[in-house]
Amino acid sequence: MDLSLSDFGAIAIMQGFNGLSVFCVLLLMALGLAIIFGQMGVINMAHGEFLTVGAYTTFLVSTLTLKYVPALQPYYFFFAIVLSFVIAGALGWLAEWAFISRLYHRPLDTLLATWGLSLVMQQAFRSIFGAREVSATLPDWLMGSWMPTESIDIPLNGLFVMGLTLLLTCTIFVLMYRSRWGLQVRATVQNRVMARSVGINTKKVDRMTFALGCGVAGVAGAAFTTIGSTGPTSGSLYIVDTFLVVVFGGAASLFGTIASAFAIAQTQSMAEFFISGSMAKVLTLSAVILILMLRPQGLFSLKVRK
């Protein structure tokens, strides 16, 4: 198949945009995990299930809106995003209070406990929603595409997810670096004993941090419904890539998380144009492993006191 230079350029632009869509979902997931893993040192293997909570919440809001108040169908998605954050955050707050707060400084125990939590949540999804995948009915304004030229076709739902990701990333940046709560979080990370001695309630900071990370994963689940259907194991498909993003960028670095999510998503998307999807993932993973062998602390690691 012969491609002209303009055709190749159009395909490269669309592949790059597909990479941006993957980047947005990965970044939303990784932001929540970076807050939990980077700030608290908790290996949350159930993080993907909080994405699934947000996706199922969006599906339920969509179904109830169509059934009872169809006139609000064009606007329900905004409410679903907020509700996904609240429900996933509340479940995260409950999980931290119930058992994770008792497992700090025991990373293997937190890994096993949250892995068990992920299995329990997956079974709960099967019992409540069934094993088959479901899809939310998207508003009309999220359907269709924007064509800046005759050969470039960009989906509107991808543009919306990009805008949502930008808004949430800026909000988290303000919370972490321009608010009193963010100052308390960073003080707790740098020196927990000293933070406690100056009156910071580190247990409350930990609980709110874990809840925020889970809430962000819930928003990622709402965004996920615009590009795929939801099943009991949907979140677990993203957990490995999400951990990869966080570790590659540097666990405690917000900028590193953004940079690594962009690099991994774009590399994988561009490689899929030339080789198969599975080989593209292998190529991306191999490149990340080689870089981590040279810089095991990640691209943008921060120096902290323990």
Side-chain angles (χ1 to χ4, degrees):
M1 181 176 63
D2 295 329
L3 291 176
S4 67
L5 186 60
S6 60
D7 290 336
F8 185 82
I11 292 173
I13 291 174
M14 287 189 288
Q15 282 297 114
F17 186 83
N18 290 335
L20 286 177
S21 298
V22 176
F23 157 72
C24 290
V25 176
L26 269 180
L27 179 58
L28 287 173
M29 279 285 286
L31 283 175
L33 190 61
I35 292 171
I36 294 172
F37 181 50
Q39 308 297 334
M40 303 172 63
V42 173
I43 304 174
N44 182 18
M45 294 300 295
H47 195 69
E49 277 57 53
F50 289 98
L51 175 145
T52 311
V53 168
Y56 273 126
T57 299
T58 305
F59 165 72
L60 279 178
V61 174
S62 169
T63 303
L64 293 175
T65 301
L66 285 175
K67 185 175 181 180
Y68 295 107
V69 280
L72 297 180
Q73 200 269 343
Y75 315 104
Y76 87 86
F77 201 78
F78 298 103
F79 176 72
I81 291 173
V82 176
L83 193 62
S84 297
F85 176 85
V86 172
I87 293 177
L91 289 175
W93 189 95
L94 183 63
E96 199 282 341
W97 170 80
F99 63 92
I100 292 176
S101 60
R102 296 163 174 78
L103 300 176
Y104 289 131
H105 309 298
R106 296 157 60 183
L108 181 59
D109 290 346
T110 59
L111 186 150
L112 293 174
T114 53
W115 180 57
L117 176 62
S118 73
L119 297 179
V120 171
M121 293 177 73
Q122 288 180 25
Q123 187 56 49
F125 297 146
R126 290 189 185 94
S127 300
I128 297 172
F129 300 101
R132 298 180 63 180
E133 293 188 346
V134 296
S135 298
T137 303
L138 297 180
D140 292 338
W141 55 270
L142 276 177
M143 309 299 290
S145 61
W146 172 54
M147 297 184 65
T149 68
E150 293 182 357
S151 56
I152 299 177
D153 193 7
I154 299 177
L156 292 178
N157 56 358
L159 290 173
F160 175 78
V161 172
M162 287 177 58
L164 176 64
T165 304
L166 179 62
L167 176 63
L168 193 60
T169 302
C170 293
T171 301
I172 291 176
F173 179 84
V174 171
L175 280 175
M176 294 299 298
Y177 298 101
R178 295 292 185 271
S179 71
R180 181 179 177 84
W181 177 80
L183 181 63
Q184 293 178 351
V185 171
R186 288 182 285 120
T188 302
V189 171
Q190 292 181 10
N191 195 318
R192 181 175 294 270
V193 175
M194 184 62 70
R196 191 182 298 118
S197 69
V198 297
I200 297 176
N201 187 340
T202 56
K203 289 185 177 180
K204 183 179 178 180
V205 169
D206 288 337
R207 194 156 299 160
M208 293 302 298
T209 302
F210 194 86
L212 176 63
C214 294
V216 173
V219 175
F224 174 77
T225 61
T226 66
I227 60 175
S229 55
T230 305
T233 60
S234 294
S236 61
L237 301 177
Y238 280 88
I239 190 64
V240 174
D241 288 342
T242 305
F243 267 108
L244 194 64
V245 167
V246 173
V247 174
F248 183 48
S253 172
L254 181 61
F255 178 76
T257 300
I258 298 172
S260 62
F262 181 81
I264 290 173
Q266 287 296 333
T267 301
Q268 187 170 317
S269 178
M270 288 299 181
E272 286 177 355
F273 178 68
F274 300 99
I275 56 180
S276 65
S278 57
M279 286 303 298
K281 189 174 285 291
V282 170
L283 177 64
T284 304
L285 181 60
S286 300
V288 171
I289 290 174
L290 287 175
I291 294 173
L292 287 176
M293 289 177 65
L294 300 175
R295 191 175 174 82
Q297 70 271 34
L299 294 178
F300 301 92
S301 62
L302 298 178
K303 295 181 179 181
V304 298
R305 296 180 179 178
K306 299 295 183 183

